[in-house]
PDB file of all heavy atoms in Angstrom:
ATOM      1  N   LEU O   1      -6.955   5.969  -1.644  1.00  0.00           N
ATOM      2  CA  LEU O   1      -6.621   6.749  -2.844  1.00  0.00           C
ATOM      3  C   LEU O   1      -7.575   7.914  -3.113  1.00  0.00           C
ATOM      4  O   LEU O   1      -7.545   8.499  -4.192  1.00  0.00           O
ATOM      5  CB  LEU O   1      -6.506   5.847  -4.080  1.00  0.00           C
ATOM      6  CG  LEU O   1      -5.472   4.724  -3.963  1.00  0.00           C
ATOM      7  CD1 LEU O   1      -5.459   3.885  -5.216  1.00  0.00           C
ATOM      8  CD2 LEU O   1      -4.094   5.286  -3.670  1.00  0.00           C
ATOM      9  N   ASP O   2      -8.415   8.285  -2.141  1.00  0.00           N
ATOM     10  CA  ASP O   2      -9.236   9.489  -2.247  1.00  0.00           C
ATOM     11  C   ASP O   2      -8.410  10.679  -1.760  1.00  0.00           C
ATOM     12  O   ASP O   2      -7.461  10.519  -0.992  1.00  0.00           O
ATOM     13  CB  ASP O   2     -10.498   9.371  -1.397  1.00  0.00           C
ATOM     14  CG  ASP O   2     -11.536   8.461  -2.021  1.00  0.00           C
ATOM     15  OD1 ASP O   2     -11.447   8.194  -3.237  1.00  0.00           O
ATOM     16  OD2 ASP O   2     -12.444   8.004  -1.284  1.00  0.00           O
ATOM     17  N   LEU O   3      -8.782  11.865  -2.172  1.00  0.00           N
ATOM     18  CA  LEU O   3      -8.064  13.073  -1.750  1.00  0.00           C
ATOM     19  C   LEU O   3      -8.178  13.269  -0.241  1.00  0.00           C
ATOM     20  O   LEU O   3      -9.199  12.951   0.359  1.00  0.00           O
ATOM     21  CB  LEU O   3      -8.630  14.293  -2.461  1.00  0.00           C
ATOM     22  CG  LEU O   3      -8.364  14.402  -3.961  1.00  0.00           C
ATOM     23  CD1 LEU O   3      -9.099  15.600  -4.544  1.00  0.00           C
ATOM     24  CD2 LEU O   3      -6.885  14.499  -4.249  1.00  0.00           C
ATOM     25  N   VAL O   4      -7.117  13.798   0.363  1.00  0.00           N
ATOM     26  CA  VAL O   4      -7.136  14.171   1.778  1.00  0.00           C
ATOM     27  C   VAL O   4      -7.302  15.682   1.873  1.00  0.00           C
ATOM     28  O   VAL O   4      -7.116  16.398   0.896  1.00  0.00           O
ATOM     29  CB  VAL O   4      -5.858  13.721   2.524  1.00  0.00           C
ATOM     30  CG1 VAL O   4      -5.742  12.215   2.545  1.00  0.00           C
ATOM     31  CG2 VAL O   4      -4.616  14.346   1.931  1.00  0.00           C
ATOM     32  N   GLU O   5      -7.628  16.158   3.072  1.00  0.00           N
ATOM     33  CA  GLU O   5      -7.737  17.603   3.284  1.00  0.00           C
ATOM     34  C   GLU O   5      -6.388  18.267   3.032  1.00  0.00           C
ATOM     35  O   GLU O   5      -5.362  17.603   2.975  1.00  0.00           O
ATOM     36  CB  GLU O   5      -8.185  17.889   4.717  1.00  0.00           C
ATOM     37  CG  GLU O   5      -9.604  17.480   5.013  1.00  0.00           C
ATOM     38  CD  GLU O   5      -9.977  17.792   6.449  1.00  0.00           C
ATOM     39  OE1 GLU O   5      -9.652  18.889   6.933  1.00  0.00           O
ATOM     40  OE2 GLU O   5     -10.584  16.917   7.086  1.00  0.00           O
ATOM     41  N   LYS O   6      -6.380  19.556   2.953  1.00  0.00           N
ATOM     42  CA  LYS O   6      -5.147  20.288   2.654  1.00  0.00           C
ATOM     43  C   LYS O   6      -4.309  20.576   3.891  1.00  0.00           C
ATOM     44  O   LYS O   6      -3.374  21.356   3.847  1.00  0.00           O
ATOM     45  CB  LYS O   6      -5.492  21.591   1.942  1.00  0.00           C
ATOM     46  CG  LYS O   6      -6.161  21.342   0.615  1.00  0.00           C
ATOM     47  CD  LYS O   6      -6.495  22.612  -0.098  1.00  0.00           C
ATOM     48  CE  LYS O   6      -7.305  22.232  -1.300  1.00  0.00           C
ATOM     49  NZ  LYS O   6      -7.111  22.928  -2.459  1.00  0.00           N
ATOM     50  N   ARG O   7      -4.653  19.916   5.019  1.00  0.00           N
ATOM     51  CA  ARG O   7      -3.915  20.124   6.264  1.00  0.00           C
ATOM     52  C   ARG O   7      -4.176  18.949   7.190  1.00  0.00           C
ATOM     53  O   ARG O   7      -5.072  18.152   6.962  1.00  0.00           O
ATOM     54  CB  ARG O   7      -4.353  21.416   6.936  1.00  0.00           C
ATOM     55  CG  ARG O   7      -5.839  21.408   7.280  1.00  0.00           C
ATOM     56  CD  ARG O   7      -6.268  22.687   7.962  1.00  0.00           C
ATOM     57  NE  ARG O   7      -7.692  22.686   8.189  1.00  0.00           N
ATOM     58  CZ  ARG O   7      -8.304  22.082   9.190  1.00  0.00           C
ATOM     59  NH1 ARG O   7      -7.599  21.425  10.081  1.00  0.00           N
ATOM     60  NH2 ARG O   7      -9.610  22.124   9.332  1.00  0.00           N
ATOM     61  N   LYS O   8      -3.379  18.865   8.264  1.00  0.00           N
ATOM     62  CA  LYS O   8      -3.657  17.881   9.302  1.00  0.00           C
ATOM     63  C   LYS O   8      -4.965  18.269   9.972  1.00  0.00           C
ATOM     64  O   LYS O   8      -5.241  19.451  10.161  1.00  0.00           O
ATOM     65  CB  LYS O   8      -2.567  17.874  10.366  1.00  0.00           C
ATOM     66  CG  LYS O   8      -1.244  17.341   9.929  1.00  0.00           C
ATOM     67  CD  LYS O   8      -0.251  17.389  11.073  1.00  0.00           C
ATOM     68  CE  LYS O   8      -0.149  18.805  11.578  1.00  0.00           C
ATOM     69  NZ  LYS O   8       0.813  19.047  12.611  1.00  0.00           N
ATOM     70  N   SER O   9      -5.747  17.295  10.338  1.00  0.00           N
ATOM     71  CA  SER O   9      -6.995  17.552  11.042  1.00  0.00           C
ATOM     72  C   SER O   9      -7.375  16.292  11.793  1.00  0.00           C
ATOM     73  O   SER O   9      -6.630  15.311  11.773  1.00  0.00           O
ATOM     74  CB  SER O   9      -8.096  17.937  10.050  1.00  0.00           C
ATOM     75  OG  SER O   9      -8.437  16.826   9.242  1.00  0.00           O
ATOM     76  N   TYR O  10      -8.531  16.301  12.402  1.00  0.00           N
ATOM     77  CA  TYR O  10      -8.990  15.099  13.091  1.00  0.00           C
ATOM     78  C   TYR O  10      -9.133  13.948  12.095  1.00  0.00           C
ATOM     79  O   TYR O  10      -8.771  12.821  12.380  1.00  0.00           O
ATOM     80  CB  TYR O  10     -10.335  15.367  13.779  1.00  0.00           C
ATOM     81  CG  TYR O  10     -10.882  14.161  14.484  1.00  0.00           C
ATOM     82  CD1 TYR O  10     -10.326  13.729  15.688  1.00  0.00           C
ATOM     83  CD2 TYR O  10     -11.948  13.448  13.957  1.00  0.00           C
ATOM     84  CE1 TYR O  10     -10.813  12.611  16.334  1.00  0.00           C
ATOM     85  CE2 TYR O  10     -12.451  12.328  14.607  1.00  0.00           C
ATOM     86  CZ  TYR O  10     -11.887  11.922  15.799  1.00  0.00           C
ATOM     87  OH  TYR O  10     -12.366  10.806  16.437  1.00  0.00           O
ATOM     88  N   GLY O  11      -9.612  14.224  10.909  1.00  0.00           N
ATOM     89  CA  GLY O  11      -9.853  13.190   9.909  1.00  0.00           C
ATOM     90  C   GLY O  11      -8.698  12.903   8.982  1.00  0.00           C
ATOM     91  O   GLY O  11      -8.718  11.919   8.251  1.00  0.00           O
ATOM     92  N   THR O  12      -7.676  13.755   8.965  1.00  0.00           N
ATOM     93  CA  THR O  12      -6.526  13.590   8.078  1.00  0.00           C
ATOM     94  C   THR O  12      -5.261  13.528   8.917  1.00  0.00           C
ATOM     95  O   THR O  12      -4.995  14.426   9.711  1.00  0.00           O
ATOM     96  CB  THR O  12      -6.429  14.760   7.076  1.00  0.00           C
ATOM     97  OG1 THR O  12      -7.625  14.792   6.305  1.00  0.00           O
ATOM     98  CG2 THR O  12      -5.248  14.601   6.161  1.00  0.00           C
ATOM     99  N   MET O  13      -4.475  12.467   8.726  1.00  0.00           N
ATOM    100  CA  MET O  13      -3.277  12.258   9.524  1.00  0.00           C
ATOM    101  C   MET O  13      -2.070  12.039   8.624  1.00  0.00           C
ATOM    102  O   MET O  13      -2.218  11.719   7.447  1.00  0.00           O
ATOM    103  CB  MET O  13      -3.485  11.059  10.437  1.00  0.00           C
ATOM    104  CG  MET O  13      -4.717  11.209  11.319  1.00  0.00           C
ATOM    105  SD  MET O  13      -5.152   9.701  12.184  1.00  0.00           S
ATOM    106  CE  MET O  13      -4.012   9.817  13.537  1.00  0.00           C
ATOM    107  N   VAL O  14      -0.880  12.222   9.212  1.00  0.00           N
ATOM    108  CA  VAL O  14       0.364  12.063   8.471  1.00  0.00           C
ATOM    109  C   VAL O  14       1.333  11.201   9.282  1.00  0.00           C
ATOM    110  O   VAL O  14       1.283  11.199  10.511  1.00  0.00           O
ATOM    111  CB  VAL O  14       0.998  13.441   8.145  1.00  0.00           C
ATOM    112  CG1 VAL O  14       1.369  14.190   9.410  1.00  0.00           C
ATOM    113  CG2 VAL O  14       2.180  13.309   7.218  1.00  0.00           C
ATOM    114  N   CYS O  15       2.186  10.475   8.587  1.00  0.00           N
ATOM    115  CA  CYS O  15       3.215   9.682   9.268  1.00  0.00           C
ATOM    116  C   CYS O  15       4.233  10.626   9.899  1.00  0.00           C
ATOM    117  O   CYS O  15       4.765  11.505   9.219  1.00  0.00           O
ATOM    118  CB  CYS O  15       3.911   8.752   8.276  1.00  0.00           C
ATOM    119  SG  CYS O  15       5.326   7.884   8.989  1.00  0.00           S
ATOM    120  N   PRO O  16       4.548  10.475  11.194  1.00  0.00           N
ATOM    121  CA  PRO O  16       5.519  11.353  11.842  1.00  0.00           C
ATOM    122  C   PRO O  16       6.952  11.076  11.413  1.00  0.00           C
ATOM    123  O   PRO O  16       7.825  11.914  11.605  1.00  0.00           O
ATOM    124  CB  PRO O  16       5.328  11.046  13.327  1.00  0.00           C
ATOM    125  CG  PRO O  16       4.856   9.644  13.343  1.00  0.00           C
ATOM    126  CD  PRO O  16       3.999   9.484  12.116  1.00  0.00           C
ATOM    127  N   ALA O  17       7.214   9.926  10.830  1.00  0.00           N
ATOM    128  CA  ALA O  17       8.574   9.566  10.434  1.00  0.00           C
ATOM    129  C   ALA O  17       8.929  10.122   9.059  1.00  0.00           C
ATOM    130  O   ALA O  17       9.897  10.863   8.911  1.00  0.00           O
ATOM    131  CB  ALA O  17       8.751   8.053  10.456  1.00  0.00           C
ATOM    132  N   CYS O  18       8.142   9.783   8.050  1.00  0.00           N
ATOM    133  CA  CYS O  18       8.495  10.216   6.688  1.00  0.00           C
ATOM    134  C   CYS O  18       7.818  11.521   6.281  1.00  0.00           C
ATOM    135  O   CYS O  18       8.283  12.188   5.370  1.00  0.00           O
ATOM    136  CB  CYS O  18       8.164   9.116   5.680  1.00  0.00           C
ATOM    137  SG  CYS O  18       6.401   8.801   5.442  1.00  0.00           S
ATOM    138  N   LYS O  19       6.719  11.882   6.916  1.00  0.00           N
ATOM    139  CA  LYS O  19       5.970  13.114   6.634  1.00  0.00           C
ATOM    140  C   LYS O  19       5.437  13.179   5.202  1.00  0.00           C
ATOM    141  O   LYS O  19       5.056  14.225   4.723  1.00  0.00           O
ATOM    142  CB  LYS O  19       6.813  14.353   6.943  1.00  0.00           C
ATOM    143  CG  LYS O  19       7.258  14.405   8.373  1.00  0.00           C
ATOM    144  CD  LYS O  19       8.159  15.572   8.640  1.00  0.00           C
ATOM    145  CE  LYS O  19       8.666  15.477  10.058  1.00  0.00           C
ATOM    146  NZ  LYS O  19       9.932  16.048  10.261  1.00  0.00           N
ATOM    147  N   HIS O  20       5.428  12.039   4.507  1.00  0.00           N
ATOM    148  CA  HIS O  20       4.908  11.993   3.137  1.00  0.00           C
ATOM    149  C   HIS O  20       3.677  11.109   3.028  1.00  0.00           C
ATOM    150  O   HIS O  20       2.984  11.159   2.020  1.00  0.00           O
ATOM    151  CB  HIS O  20       5.980  11.479   2.176  1.00  0.00           C
ATOM    152  CG  HIS O  20       7.142  12.389   2.056  1.00  0.00           C
ATOM    153  ND1 HIS O  20       7.067  13.652   1.515  1.00  0.00           N
ATOM    154  CD2 HIS O  20       8.434  12.235   2.428  1.00  0.00           C
ATOM    155  CE1 HIS O  20       8.250  14.231   1.564  1.00  0.00           C
ATOM    156  NE2 HIS O  20       9.106  13.393   2.113  1.00  0.00           N
ATOM    157  N   ALA O  21       3.426  10.285   4.026  1.00  0.00           N
ATOM    158  CA  ALA O  21       2.294   9.373   3.992  1.00  0.00           C
ATOM    159  C   ALA O  21       1.086  10.044   4.637  1.00  0.00           C
ATOM    160  O   ALA O  21       1.083  10.308   5.835  1.00  0.00           O
ATOM    161  CB  ALA O  21       2.638   8.081   4.722  1.00  0.00           C
ATOM    162  N   TRP O  22       0.084  10.337   3.847  1.00  0.00           N
ATOM    163  CA  TRP O  22      -1.144  10.960   4.327  1.00  0.00           C
ATOM    164  C   TRP O  22      -2.271   9.953   4.215  1.00  0.00           C
ATOM    165  O   TRP O  22      -2.324   9.165   3.267  1.00  0.00           O
ATOM    166  CB  TRP O  22      -1.460  12.208   3.506  1.00  0.00           C
ATOM    167  CG  TRP O  22      -0.503  13.310   3.789  1.00  0.00           C
ATOM    168  CD1 TRP O  22       0.699  13.514   3.192  1.00  0.00           C
ATOM    169  CD2 TRP O  22      -0.652  14.333   4.760  1.00  0.00           C
ATOM    170  NE1 TRP O  22       1.321  14.613   3.736  1.00  0.00           N
ATOM    171  CE2 TRP O  22       0.506  15.144   4.694  1.00  0.00           C
ATOM    172  CE3 TRP O  22      -1.657  14.655   5.680  1.00  0.00           C
ATOM    173  CZ2 TRP O  22       0.685  16.252   5.515  1.00  0.00           C
ATOM    174  CZ3 TRP O  22      -1.477  15.762   6.481  1.00  0.00           C
ATOM    175  CH2 TRP O  22      -0.313  16.547   6.406  1.00  0.00           C
ATOM    176  N   PHE O  23      -3.180   9.976   5.173  1.00  0.00           N
ATOM    177  CA  PHE O  23      -4.291   9.056   5.149  1.00  0.00           C
ATOM    178  C   PHE O  23      -5.428   9.583   6.001  1.00  0.00           C
ATOM    179  O   PHE O  23      -5.260  10.484   6.822  1.00  0.00           O
ATOM    180  CB  PHE O  23      -3.873   7.658   5.635  1.00  0.00           C
ATOM    181  CG  PHE O  23      -2.843   7.681   6.716  1.00  0.00           C
ATOM    182  CD1 PHE O  23      -3.208   7.881   8.024  1.00  0.00           C
ATOM    183  CD2 PHE O  23      -1.504   7.539   6.413  1.00  0.00           C
ATOM    184  CE1 PHE O  23      -2.266   7.930   9.024  1.00  0.00           C
ATOM    185  CE2 PHE O  23      -0.540   7.599   7.406  1.00  0.00           C
ATOM    186  CZ  PHE O  23      -0.925   7.792   8.708  1.00  0.00           C
ATOM    187  N   HIS O  24      -6.604   9.024   5.778  1.00  0.00           N
ATOM    188  CA  HIS O  24      -7.780   9.358   6.568  1.00  0.00           C
ATOM    189  C   HIS O  24      -7.757   8.566   7.870  1.00  0.00           C
ATOM    190  O   HIS O  24      -7.274   7.435   7.892  1.00  0.00           O
ATOM    191  CB  HIS O  24      -9.065   9.007   5.793  1.00  0.00           C
ATOM    192  CG  HIS O  24      -9.184   9.720   4.496  1.00  0.00           C
ATOM    193  ND1 HIS O  24      -9.031   9.075   3.294  1.00  0.00           N
ATOM    194  CD2 HIS O  24      -9.417  11.021   4.219  1.00  0.00           C
ATOM    195  CE1 HIS O  24      -9.190   9.941   2.317  1.00  0.00           C
ATOM    196  NE2 HIS O  24      -9.412  11.127   2.849  1.00  0.00           N
ATOM    197  N   ARG O  25      -8.289   9.156   8.927  1.00  0.00           N
ATOM    198  CA  ARG O  25      -8.357   8.484  10.225  1.00  0.00           C
ATOM    199  C   ARG O  25      -9.076   7.144  10.095  1.00  0.00           C
ATOM    200  O   ARG O  25      -8.604   6.120  10.600  1.00  0.00           O
ATOM    201  CB  ARG O  25      -9.080   9.364  11.252  1.00  0.00           C
ATOM    202  CG  ARG O  25      -9.305   8.677  12.593  1.00  0.00           C
ATOM    203  CD  ARG O  25      -9.998   9.612  13.573  1.00  0.00           C
ATOM    204  NE  ARG O  25      -9.083  10.628  14.015  1.00  0.00           N
ATOM    205  CZ  ARG O  25      -8.238  10.498  15.053  1.00  0.00           C
ATOM    206  NH1 ARG O  25      -8.211   9.379  15.742  1.00  0.00           N
ATOM    207  NH2 ARG O  25      -7.444  11.476  15.398  1.00  0.00           N
ATOM    208  N   GLY O  26     -10.193   7.111   9.409  1.00  0.00           N
ATOM    209  CA  GLY O  26     -10.944   5.869   9.243  1.00  0.00           C
ATOM    210  C   GLY O  26     -10.166   4.813   8.479  1.00  0.00           C
ATOM    211  O   GLY O  26     -10.239   3.621   8.801  1.00  0.00           O
ATOM    212  N   CYS O  27      -9.406   5.222   7.477  1.00  0.00           N
ATOM    213  CA  CYS O  27      -8.619   4.270   6.687  1.00  0.00           C
ATOM    214  C   CYS O  27      -7.507   3.640   7.519  1.00  0.00           C
ATOM    215  O   CYS O  27      -7.298   2.426   7.463  1.00  0.00           O
ATOM    216  CB  CYS O  27      -8.028   4.962   5.462  1.00  0.00           C
ATOM    217  SG  CYS O  27      -9.260   5.491   4.258  1.00  0.00           S
ATOM    218  N   ILE O  28      -6.790   4.461   8.303  1.00  0.00           N
ATOM    219  CA  ILE O  28      -5.687   3.910   9.088  1.00  0.00           C
ATOM    220  C   ILE O  28      -6.234   3.081  10.255  1.00  0.00           C
ATOM    221  O   ILE O  28      -5.621   2.098  10.668  1.00  0.00           O
ATOM    222  CB  ILE O  28      -4.685   5.009   9.547  1.00  0.00           C
ATOM    223  CG1 ILE O  28      -3.320   4.389   9.840  1.00  0.00           C
ATOM    224  CG2 ILE O  28      -5.205   5.795  10.711  1.00  0.00           C
ATOM    225  CD1 ILE O  28      -2.622   3.799   8.661  1.00  0.00           C
ATOM    226  N   GLN O  29      -7.432   3.440  10.751  1.00  0.00           N
ATOM    227  CA  GLN O  29      -8.057   2.629  11.792  1.00  0.00           C
ATOM    228  C   GLN O  29      -8.420   1.253  11.244  1.00  0.00           C
ATOM    229  O   GLN O  29      -8.178   0.236  11.896  1.00  0.00           O
ATOM    230  CB  GLN O  29      -9.306   3.317  12.350  1.00  0.00           C
ATOM    231  CG  GLN O  29     -10.017   2.518  13.424  1.00  0.00           C
ATOM    232  CD  GLN O  29      -9.147   2.258  14.633  1.00  0.00           C
ATOM    233  OE1 GLN O  29      -8.927   3.140  15.445  1.00  0.00           O
ATOM    234  NE2 GLN O  29      -8.633   1.044  14.776  1.00  0.00           N
ATOM    235  N   ASN O  30      -8.972   1.194  10.045  1.00  0.00           N
ATOM    236  CA  ASN O  30      -9.295  -0.094   9.426  1.00  0.00           C
ATOM    237  C   ASN O  30      -8.038  -0.918   9.196  1.00  0.00           C
ATOM    238  O   ASN O  30      -8.026  -2.129   9.433  1.00  0.00           O
ATOM    239  CB  ASN O  30     -10.034   0.107   8.105  1.00  0.00           C
ATOM    240  CG  ASN O  30     -11.461   0.533   8.312  1.00  0.00           C
ATOM    241  OD1 ASN O  30     -12.040   0.331   9.374  1.00  0.00           O
ATOM    242  ND2 ASN O  30     -12.052   1.144   7.301  1.00  0.00           N
ATOM    243  N   GLN O  31      -6.973  -0.264   8.750  1.00  0.00           N
ATOM    244  CA  GLN O  31      -5.701  -0.963   8.537  1.00  0.00           C
ATOM    245  C   GLN O  31      -5.194  -1.563   9.850  1.00  0.00           C
ATOM    246  O   GLN O  31      -4.753  -2.700   9.896  1.00  0.00           O
ATOM    247  CB  GLN O  31      -4.663  -0.008   7.958  1.00  0.00           C
ATOM    248  CG  GLN O  31      -3.285  -0.607   7.867  1.00  0.00           C
ATOM    249  CD  GLN O  31      -2.766  -0.638   6.464  1.00  0.00           C
ATOM    250  OE1 GLN O  31      -3.479  -0.392   5.513  1.00  0.00           O
ATOM    251  NE2 GLN O  31      -1.516  -0.940   6.327  1.00  0.00           N
ATOM    252  N   ALA O  32      -5.267  -0.777  10.918  1.00  0.00           N
ATOM    253  CA  ALA O  32      -4.805  -1.250  12.224  1.00  0.00           C
ATOM    254  C   ALA O  32      -5.618  -2.455  12.687  1.00  0.00           C
ATOM    255  O   ALA O  32      -5.056  -3.413  13.227  1.00  0.00           O
ATOM    256  CB  ALA O  32      -4.908  -0.127  13.255  1.00  0.00           C
ATOM    257  N   MET O  33      -6.909  -2.439  12.476  1.00  0.00           N
ATOM    258  CA  MET O  33      -7.760  -3.554  12.884  1.00  0.00           C
ATOM    259  C   MET O  33      -7.445  -4.816  12.092  1.00  0.00           C
ATOM    260  O   MET O  33      -7.537  -5.919  12.616  1.00  0.00           O
ATOM    261  CB  MET O  33      -9.237  -3.192  12.723  1.00  0.00           C
ATOM    262  CG  MET O  33      -9.687  -2.062  13.639  1.00  0.00           C
ATOM    263  SD  MET O  33      -9.365  -2.350  15.389  1.00  0.00           S
ATOM    264  CE  MET O  33     -10.637  -3.531  15.765  1.00  0.00           C
ATOM    265  N   HIS O  34      -7.052  -4.672  10.854  1.00  0.00           N
ATOM    266  CA  HIS O  34      -6.750  -5.826  10.010  1.00  0.00           C
ATOM    267  C   HIS O  34      -5.377  -6.428  10.286  1.00  0.00           C
ATOM    268  O   HIS O  34      -5.227  -7.641  10.311  1.00  0.00           O
ATOM    269  CB  HIS O  34      -6.847  -5.464   8.525  1.00  0.00           C
ATOM    270  CG  HIS O  34      -8.251  -5.283   8.060  1.00  0.00           C
ATOM    271  ND1 HIS O  34      -9.148  -6.316   7.947  1.00  0.00           N
ATOM    272  CD2 HIS O  34      -8.929  -4.183   7.696  1.00  0.00           C
ATOM    273  CE1 HIS O  34     -10.307  -5.864   7.534  1.00  0.00           C
ATOM    274  NE2 HIS O  34     -10.205  -4.561   7.372  1.00  0.00           N
ATOM    275  N   VAL O  35      -4.350  -5.592  10.488  1.00  0.00           N
ATOM    276  CA  VAL O  35      -2.992  -6.129  10.615  1.00  0.00           C
ATOM    277  C   VAL O  35      -2.581  -6.396  12.058  1.00  0.00           C
ATOM    278  O   VAL O  35      -1.726  -7.234  12.310  1.00  0.00           O
ATOM    279  CB  VAL O  35      -1.937  -5.231   9.922  1.00  0.00           C
ATOM    280  CG1 VAL O  35      -2.244  -5.089   8.452  1.00  0.00           C
ATOM    281  CG2 VAL O  35      -1.813  -3.891  10.588  1.00  0.00           C
ATOM    282  N   GLY O  36      -3.137  -5.680  13.024  1.00  0.00           N
ATOM    283  CA  GLY O  36      -2.791  -5.894  14.423  1.00  0.00           C
ATOM    284  C   GLY O  36      -1.485  -5.233  14.829  1.00  0.00           C
ATOM    285  O   GLY O  36      -0.751  -4.675  14.014  1.00  0.00           O
ATOM    286  N   PHE O  37      -1.196  -5.311  16.106  1.00  0.00           N
ATOM    287  CA  PHE O  37      -0.072  -4.619  16.736  1.00  0.00           C
ATOM    288  C   PHE O  37       1.288  -5.005  16.157  1.00  0.00           C
ATOM    289  O   PHE O  37       2.133  -4.151  15.906  1.00  0.00           O
ATOM    290  CB  PHE O  37      -0.104  -4.914  18.244  1.00  0.00           C
ATOM    291  CG  PHE O  37       0.779  -4.039  19.058  1.00  0.00           C
ATOM    292  CD1 PHE O  37       0.349  -2.798  19.475  1.00  0.00           C
ATOM    293  CD2 PHE O  37       2.046  -4.460  19.431  1.00  0.00           C
ATOM    294  CE1 PHE O  37       1.165  -1.981  20.245  1.00  0.00           C
ATOM    295  CE2 PHE O  37       2.873  -3.655  20.195  1.00  0.00           C
ATOM    296  CZ  PHE O  37       2.425  -2.408  20.600  1.00  0.00           C
ATOM    297  N   SER O  38       1.525  -6.272  15.938  1.00  0.00           N
ATOM    298  CA  SER O  38       2.858  -6.726  15.530  1.00  0.00           C
ATOM    299  C   SER O  38       3.205  -6.391  14.082  1.00  0.00           C
ATOM    300  O   SER O  38       4.383  -6.390  13.726  1.00  0.00           O
ATOM    301  CB  SER O  38       3.002  -8.227  15.759  1.00  0.00           C
ATOM    302  OG  SER O  38       2.086  -8.933  14.960  1.00  0.00           O
ATOM    303  N   CYS O  39       2.221  -6.097  13.240  1.00  0.00           N
ATOM    304  CA  CYS O  39       2.494  -5.811  11.820  1.00  0.00           C
ATOM    305  C   CYS O  39       2.138  -4.386  11.411  1.00  0.00           C
ATOM    306  O   CYS O  39       2.259  -4.026  10.243  1.00  0.00           O
ATOM    307  CB  CYS O  39       1.723  -6.784  10.937  1.00  0.00           C
ATOM    308  SG  CYS O  39       2.218  -8.492  11.163  1.00  0.00           S
ATOM    309  N   PHE O  40       1.679  -3.557  12.343  1.00  0.00           N
ATOM    310  CA  PHE O  40       1.233  -2.204  12.017  1.00  0.00           C
ATOM    311  C   PHE O  40       2.432  -1.303  11.749  1.00  0.00           C
ATOM    312  O   PHE O  40       3.343  -1.207  12.558  1.00  0.00           O
ATOM    313  CB  PHE O  40       0.391  -1.648  13.166  1.00  0.00           C
ATOM    314  CG  PHE O  40      -0.324  -0.379  12.845  1.00  0.00           C
ATOM    315  CD1 PHE O  40      -1.238  -0.311  11.816  1.00  0.00           C
ATOM    316  CD2 PHE O  40      -0.088   0.755  13.600  1.00  0.00           C
ATOM    317  CE1 PHE O  40      -1.909   0.870  11.536  1.00  0.00           C
ATOM    318  CE2 PHE O  40      -0.759   1.936  13.333  1.00  0.00           C
ATOM    319  CZ  PHE O  40      -1.671   1.989  12.297  1.00  0.00           C
ATOM    320  N   GLN O  41       2.447  -0.663  10.595  1.00  0.00           N
ATOM    321  CA  GLN O  41       3.546   0.220  10.205  1.00  0.00           C
ATOM    322  C   GLN O  41       3.040   1.250   9.205  1.00  0.00           C
ATOM    323  O   GLN O  41       1.944   1.126   8.680  1.00  0.00           O
ATOM    324  CB  GLN O  41       4.681  -0.585   9.600  1.00  0.00           C
ATOM    325  CG  GLN O  41       4.277  -1.349   8.359  1.00  0.00           C
ATOM    326  CD  GLN O  41       5.377  -2.280   7.875  1.00  0.00           C
ATOM    327  OE1 GLN O  41       6.413  -2.414   8.507  1.00  0.00           O
ATOM    328  NE2 GLN O  41       5.150  -2.928   6.747  1.00  0.00           N
TER     329      GLN O  41
END
């Protein structure tokens, strides 16, 4: 819930499907480590 940069960058990423979900690289990496391959979305 912290602000993201005003564009895509190494540290700021967007969902390729909906194009509305923005997140930090570190945040989505932590999410991936917690949920694993079968539940990652």
